[in-house]
Amino acid sequence: MPDSADAANTAPDTSRIQAALTSCTNASSTGLATNKVVHLASGADGANAFLSGPLTLPGGVTLWIDRRITLFASRDPRQYDKTKGTASCGLITASDNGCNALITAAKTSNSAVVGDGTIDGRGGSPLVSSLPNDPALLKRPDGTAMSWWDIGWQANIVMKASQNNPRLIQINNGRNFTLYRITLQNAPKFHVVPSGTDHFVAWGVKIYTPTAAYEAMTNYLGAPYSTLTAKNTDGIDPASSGPITSNPGNPGVLTGDASNILIAYTSIRTGDDNVAIKGGTAPVNGRTYNVTVAHSHFYEGHGMSIGSESAGSDNGAVNASVSAVNGQFPSVSNVNVYDLSLNGPDNGLRIKSDWSRGGLVANIHYTNVCIRTATPTNSLQPQALIFSPYYSPTTNAGLYPNFANITLDGIRIVNASNYTFQGFNSASPILASPDWSAGANGLPDPPVVNPLQIVLNNVVADATPLSITASDAQIALGQGGTTLPLGGAGNGVTVTQTASGAANPPVDCSLAFAPFPVK
């Protein structure tokens, strides 16, 4: 869509799309048989685009975007303000909660976004405002308006602050949400966030950001738009949330758990985590469990991640769906990742957290994964495998990371990369650096040591590692072992052989790295 299309009217289709969605509402939100569909289709004259601001997707309603149809997001920050008349979106502040998403489903059951069409967030287009001479519209040095991605770079890289950019699809608590075959691209920020949702499915979804049209353009510093400059454009981020007690349309109390999640047959290329499974920033949040990522291809991005939030524990409540590990109920558990290729990401398989938002991450299984990381540069040092509780310098909140029962079975890394295997140790010299702060909690005495507990079986690196960092780790080798030169004990690291016998052949990655599928 040319930028001139919304120079005068920044969101002309919002009202009629929203009216259609609202009219189809299933009041009970409990039965698929009574669901209704809003179908975005081509017009009689061949018109094939819609331009909208924020939409609310009710329970029991499916939004169907037909093939060759694109739903474009308005680039007007005033459309996304949380409170009309008070500028909060498109700003750089200490927090990032100033925008409504393009599509929000809150406390719903049986909602969906489907079809072979596209949702385009227009993250690289210069912003416009429906408010004349809008003083909140951020400008480039040449006086023209910034884009969403300009704001993201300025906030995250230059100012170390937060970008108030809209997400494409936000699901806030509920049950049974489906994404099917839809293409999502050029999100201003995260593409899809199912928060505190039970039963979420993304099947056959394509996420591609930035698209070629934007990669031919430059940001406000003259750098080309790319997956390196479109900051915080995560693909799919399942996350737990706080508990919900007032919940029309959903029987029972929602604990805030993110549970029973399937991401399958997806293709994701983006400017941050391809997928990030998150477990809450504080114990009051719910847990995240029963997550499957399967039969998928990830491209550029930050890889298949768990974290950085892993503190949610339903305030310690017992959960029948979650098994305790060494007497502790995990924040993130029962994650299965299999038949996955990662082609060109900064990181391959990653678990990350820190002492401001950590907790137990347990029962994580990776099987049949092929990894080809990005080419190293002076500013980019890709990590094929990175398990670290020292994600970012923060203040000690007493929420100490703990990674246990992690299994890698049939993993192949085809190019030279870096590797990190770290458990948490509050006496680590990493935490003594000036960037970290013990804060009011201070350093625990005696020190807290939560070793990384990981099993490597048939983990094959075709090229000599560029580096291996290991500390406070209990590494067990299955009968297939690993070609990584992990060595013996030292720095709190133990390596033990737990099984013997004939090993399976290395995973065959000869056909794994397919090009991004034609849309």
Side-chain angles (χ1 to χ4, degrees):
M1 175 175 286
D3 292 336
S4 59
D6 52 352
N9 189 342
T10 63
D13 298 314
T14 308
S15 295
R16 66 190 184 113
I17 297 175
Q18 187 61 63
L21 293 169
T22 302
S23 71
C24 289
T25 302
N26 170 9
S28 66
S29 300
T30 57
L32 287 173
T34 57
N35 272 18
K36 295 182 179 179
V37 175
V38 172
H39 183 199
L40 302 188
S42 58
D45 59 354
N48 61 1
F50 294 83
L51 175 59
S52 179
L55 299 166
T56 299
L57 184 61
V61 176
T62 293
L63 177 62
W64 171 14
I65 303 175
D66 214 343
R67 183 175 177 143
R68 300 190 181 92
I69 301 299
T70 301
L71 173 63
F72 287 99
S74 171
R75 55 197 174 107
D76 177 5
R78 303 292 71 80
Q79 297 287 336
Y80 302 93
D81 289 335
K82 287 293 184 74
T83 302
K84 293 301 180 185
T86 301
S88 60
C89 193
L91 304 181
I92 297 173
T93 62
S95 62
D96 64 352
N97 194 35
C99 303
N100 289 310
L102 177 65
I103 297 174
T104 299
K107 303 178 185 177
T108 65
S109 289
N110 306 323
S111 301
V113 178
V114 307
D116 290 311
T118 299
I119 300 175
D120 193 318
R122 306 171 76 200
S125 290
L127 301 182
V128 295
S129 177
S130 51
L131 181 66
N133 303 313
D134 186 352
L137 195 63
L138 299 184
K139 300 296 182 64
R140 289 182 167 193
D142 63 4
T144 60
M146 279 191 162
S147 69
W148 297 118
W149 294 338
D150 287 342
I151 293 172
W153 184 271
Q154 176 73 7
N156 288 276
I157 305 302
V158 178
M159 299 177 64
K160 307 302 180 184
S162 296
Q163 65 192 92
N164 285 277
N165 291 358
R167 302 171 179 184
L168 276 193
I169 300 176
Q170 177 73 41
I171 304 107
N172 290 327
N173 310 102
R175 296 179 173 89
N176 303 338
F177 191 97
T178 300
L179 292 176
Y180 179 62
R181 293 177 64 98
I182 196 75
T183 294
L184 309 175
Q185 61 192 36
N186 301 321
K189 202 179 179 187
F190 304 148
H191 288 77
V192 185
V193 180
S195 178
T197 301
D198 178 33
H199 288 92
F200 168 84
V201 173
W203 188 285
V205 174
K206 303 181 184 72
I207 297 176
Y208 196 94
T209 295
T211 53
Y214 283 115
E215 291 188 317
M217 301 164 58
T218 58
N219 68 9
Y220 75 109
L221 296 175
Y225 286 131
S226 70
T227 54
L228 299 178
T229 57
K231 304 299 292 183
N232 281 345
T233 52
D234 295 42
I236 303 175
D237 287 5
S240 63
S241 73
I244 301 295
T245 56
S246 175
N247 188 31
N250 277 286
V253 174
L254 292 171
T255 62
D257 290 356
S259 53
N260 305 310
I261 292 162
L262 174 62
I263 300 170
Y265 299 100
T266 58
S267 299
I268 304 176
R269 174 198 187 262
T270 188
D272 209 294
D273 293 308
N274 300 77
V275 166
I277 301 168
K278 302 181 180 183
T281 57
V284 69
N285 295 131
R287 298 184 174 94
T288 300
Y289 52 89
N290 298 349
V291 182
T292 297
V293 180
H295 311 306
S296 293
H297 295 276
F298 294 172
Y299 300 84
E300 291 172 74
H302 292 179
M304 176 63 241
S305 297
I306 297 174
S308 54
E309 296 91 341
S310 60
S313 66
D314 294 329
N315 276 330
V318 174
N319 187 322
S321 299
V322 177
S323 299
V325 176
N326 298 323
Q328 180 181 355
F329 287 91
S331 172
V332 180
S333 64
N334 302 346
V335 177
N336 287 282
V337 177
Y338 61 90
D339 188 22
L340 174 67
S341 75
L342 296 116
N343 186 8
D346 303 352
N347 304 297
L349 304 179
R350 185 180 196 184
I351 303 179
K352 53 183 177 177
S353 195
D354 57 59
W355 63 4
S356 73
R357 51 194 159 181
L360 178 58
V361 176
N363 301 334
I364 314 298
H365 302 275
Y366 305 94
T367 308
N368 291 342
V369 179
C370 293
I371 303 172
R372 179 166 63 192
T373 55
T375 301
T377 66
N378 290 336
S379 59
L380 181 67
Q381 292 297 314
Q383 302 250 11
L385 305 175
I386 173 170
F387 306 95
S388 175
Y390 309 115
Y391 171 57
S392 61
T394 54
T395 299
N396 179 14
L399 300 171
Y400 303 122
N402 188 2
F403 306 154
N405 295 1
I406 314 299
T407 301
L408 279 66
D409 186 0
I411 313 297
R412 188 167 187 175
I413 304 96
V414 303
N415 64 335
S417 192
N418 299 282
Y419 299 83
T420 297
F421 301 91
Q422 293 173 316
F424 180 79
N425 188 335
S426 63
S428 169
I430 294 173
L431 300 176
S433 68
D435 293 333
W436 295 82
S437 172
N441 285 297
L443 293 173
D445 185 18
V448 172
V449 182
N450 294 327
L452 168 67
Q453 298 177 2
I454 192 168
V455 176
L456 306 182
N457 184 50
N458 196 17
V459 177
V460 175
D462 290 348
T464 301
L466 300 176
S467 70
I468 295 180
T469 301
S471 62
D472 302 298
Q474 297 172 358
I475 303 173
L477 303 181
Q479 67 182 24
T482 181
T483 62
L484 295 174
L486 295 172
N491 204 22
V493 177
T494 61
V495 180
T496 58
Q497 186 78 41
T498 61
S500 60
N504 292 327
V507 174
D508 182 3
C509 295
S510 60
L511 300 177
F513 304 113
F516 197 93
V518 176
K519 293 187 293 181

